[in-house]
């Protein structure tokens, strides 16, 4: 039986805000009775304020809708189909600018999440003042660690997109100037480090635990090329292993499985009253507990039985991505649908007509070779639906293994044999043999390949290409411009409202 949070009342920058946040297994006692003057007097109130920090992950600016379009499109993993909206297509060819609503919503969702985390941390003294007989010291520290983890997580979403950022470690109604990226990373690593020391070894589903904090600490250090420190953190991730069946990572029934360290929670049964306007979860009108991923990427046409599947098919996998898979790689069938694929628990079969983009004469339809299967609910349904309750697994154990391989490959004195062993573990699950020369260049090339095919459609490749200095080569044909498209522009609404960040302070090329 799944449990839920429906509404949480918090004070944020002196304003009441009602926040919707389903984290499935996080249960509160009547949180609607919370009021600002009684905050942090009871365990339920502490928990409510911590739970509020998760809400912004579900918004359309992040995992509700826009993040997968923006990052998958920029990575060259998608091609646009006839239904792709005008605000999303510029991310295919890098023609977006600082007026993009997608960039604006992303920025605002993250910084509102940071503000909610700071609301908790600003009240650490009040939390610690609660009697230990009512709320144990371990639990107090755990809740504070969650707030540190979430602040770091939002900043970790921001820093690869924007570089230098305003740093907020306390609530404020005044905008700050941008701080150097190195200072932002220091805050991120300090927060994840605190979380790793104070989170529980195991916690309720939907909350990060100690291993999740070590995994993200390792990733943050890896992004800074601190390979020895990153490997030390990643080696502390324990108790996880690969799912025997790769596709189990992307189904609703197998959420929080043995491979999953951290997930963005969704449950379509809990409501999606404002799926189109849920931009920041700053008010109760933004109730949205489902993702549009299945519908947006969904297969549109008729199957072998004449059943219209009904997806919008706004994008489909690029040829470059489809041809990256080796023959026999089990991940191909788990990642893509194509003519002959079974769906609806094996009861239906897809035909070429399932993959038509465009239907209205005189324009002839374009037939795509494949569509996305990851995060599609067609595995158990004859038609796709507007609302999907499939969680996003944003940190999987396979990522930990391949990051450890990269650390060994890149660090001074690292073991290429160890790196190959980590790669082999991932490839074994895919049904592939592993023959890699134990040289730095060969192992690095293998890591680049494995990350592409393992994490296709999971919003990781663009950042990988940037940090490996490969984007200019791989994405040039898509319009990527060096010394510009490594970063997004600061959105217009920020530069027009924050007196300490003006349009002239924007990123290079913008």
């Amino acid at each position: 039986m799944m449990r839920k949070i429906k509404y949480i009342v918090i004070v944020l920058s002196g304003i009441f805000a009602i926040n919707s946040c389903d984290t499935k297994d996080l249960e509160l006692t009547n949180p609607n009775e919370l009021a600002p003057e009684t905050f942090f007097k009871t365990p339920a109130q502490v928990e409510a304020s911590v739970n509020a920090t998760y809400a912004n992950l579900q918004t359309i600016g992040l995992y509700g809708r826009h993040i997968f379009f923006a990052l998958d499109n920029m990575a060259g993993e998608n091609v646009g189909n006839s239904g792709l909206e005008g605000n999303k297509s510029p991310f295919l060819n890098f023609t977006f600018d600082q007026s993009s609503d997608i960039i604006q919503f992303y920025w605002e969702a993250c910084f509102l999440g940071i503000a909610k985390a700071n609301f908790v941390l600003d009240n650490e003294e009040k939390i610690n003042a609660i009697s230990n007989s009512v709320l144990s010291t371990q639990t107090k520290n755990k809740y504070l660690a969650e707030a540190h983890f979430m602040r770091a997580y939002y900043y970790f979403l921001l820093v690869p997109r924007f570089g230098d950022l305003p740093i907020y470690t306390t609530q404020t109604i005044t905008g700050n100037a941008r701080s150097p990226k190195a200072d932002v990373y220091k805050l991120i690593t300090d927060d994840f480090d605190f979380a790793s020391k104070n989170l529980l070894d195991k916690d309720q589903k939907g909350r990060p635990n100690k291993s999740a904090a070590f995994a993200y600490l390792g990733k943050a250090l890896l992004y800074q090329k601190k390979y020895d420190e990153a490997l030390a953190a990643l080696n502390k991730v324990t108790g996880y292993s690969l799912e025997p069946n790769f596709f189990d990572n992307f189904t609703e029934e197998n959420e929080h499985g043995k491979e999953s360290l951290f997930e963005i929670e969704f449950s379509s049964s809990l409501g999606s009253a404002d799926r189109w306007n849920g931009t920041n979860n700053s008010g109760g009108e933004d109730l949205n507990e489902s993702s549009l991923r299945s519908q947006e990427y969904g297969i549109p046409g008729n199957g072998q039985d004449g059943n219209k599947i009904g997806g919008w098919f706004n994008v489909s996998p690029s040829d470059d991505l489809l041809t990256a898979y080796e023959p026999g790689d089990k991940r191909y069938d788990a990642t893509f649908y194509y003519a002959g694929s079974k769906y609806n628990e094996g009861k239906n079969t897809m035909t070429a007509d399932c993959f038509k983009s465009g239907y209205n004469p005189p324009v002839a339809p374009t037939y795509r070779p494949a569509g996305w299967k990851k995060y599609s609910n067609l595995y158990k349904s004859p038609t796709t639906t507007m609302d999907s309750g499939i969680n996003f697994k944003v940190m999987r154990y396979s990522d930990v293994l391949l990051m450890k391989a990269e650390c060994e490959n890149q660090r001074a004195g690292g073991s290429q044999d160890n790196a190959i062993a980590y790669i082999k573990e991932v490839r074994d699950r895919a049904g592939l043999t592993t023959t890699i020369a134990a040289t730095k260049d060969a192992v690095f090339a293998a890591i680049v390949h494995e990350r592409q095919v393992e994490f296709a459609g999971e919003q990781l490749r663009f950042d990988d290409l940037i940090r490996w200095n490969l984007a200019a080569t791989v994405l040039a044909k898509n319009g990527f411009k060096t010394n510009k498209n490594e970063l997004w522009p600061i959105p217009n609404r920020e530069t027009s409202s924050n007196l300490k960040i003006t349009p002239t302070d924007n990123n290079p090329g913008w």
Side-chain angles (χ1 to χ4, degrees), residues 86-214:
N87 66 338
K88 299 173 182 64
S89 57
F91 291 84
L92 291 166
N93 55 18
F94 298 93
T95 57
F96 52 82
D97 61 26
Q98 46 268 61
S99 68
S100 168
D101 62 334
I102 289 177
I103 294 175
Q104 172 193 312
F105 293 157
Y106 188 107
W107 174 279
E108 292 174 355
C110 289
F111 276 109
L112 280 165
I114 289 165
K116 292 172 185 178
N118 283 335
F119 174 66
V120 177
L121 297 173
D122 283 350
N123 287 279
E124 180 176 354
E125 185 175 340
K126 290 183 180 179
I127 294 171
N128 286 329
I130 297 173
S131 171
N132 290 341
S133 64
V134 175
L135 190 65
S136 71
T137 299
Q138 181 188 51
T139 304
K140 293 173 186 176
N141 290 339
K142 190 270 292 193
Y143 282 137
L144 292 168
E146 282 188 68
H148 279 285
F149 181 97
M150 292 307 300
R151 183 171 68 184
Y153 188 84
Y154 285 116
Y155 267 119
F156 198 44
L157 289 176
L158 286 164
V159 71
R161 301 280 68 76
F162 299 100
D164 300 347
L165 290 166
I167 291 177
Y168 299 100
T169 57
T170 188
Q171 291 185 97
T172 177
I173 59 173
T174 303
N176 288 344
R178 299 173 76 185
S179 293
K181 180 171 69 173
D183 292 347
V184 182
Y185 267 121
K186 184 179 187 308
L187 175 64
I188 291 169
T189 53
D190 286 349
D191 274 348
F192 281 139
D193 182 61
F194 182 94
S196 72
K197 292 180 171 67
N198 291 281
L199 289 173
L200 303 181
D201 290 332
K202 292 183 180 292
D203 207 334
Q204 293 170 298
K205 294 176 181 178
R207 298 188 188 277
N209 61 20
K210 192 176 292 290
S211 283
F214 278 125

Side-chain angles (χ1 to χ4, degrees), residues 35-51:
E37 65 272 12
T38 61
F39 271 11
F40 305 111
K41 298 291 186 181
T42 70
Q45 293 165 356
V46 177
E47 186 176 34
S49 292
V50 172
N51 289 343

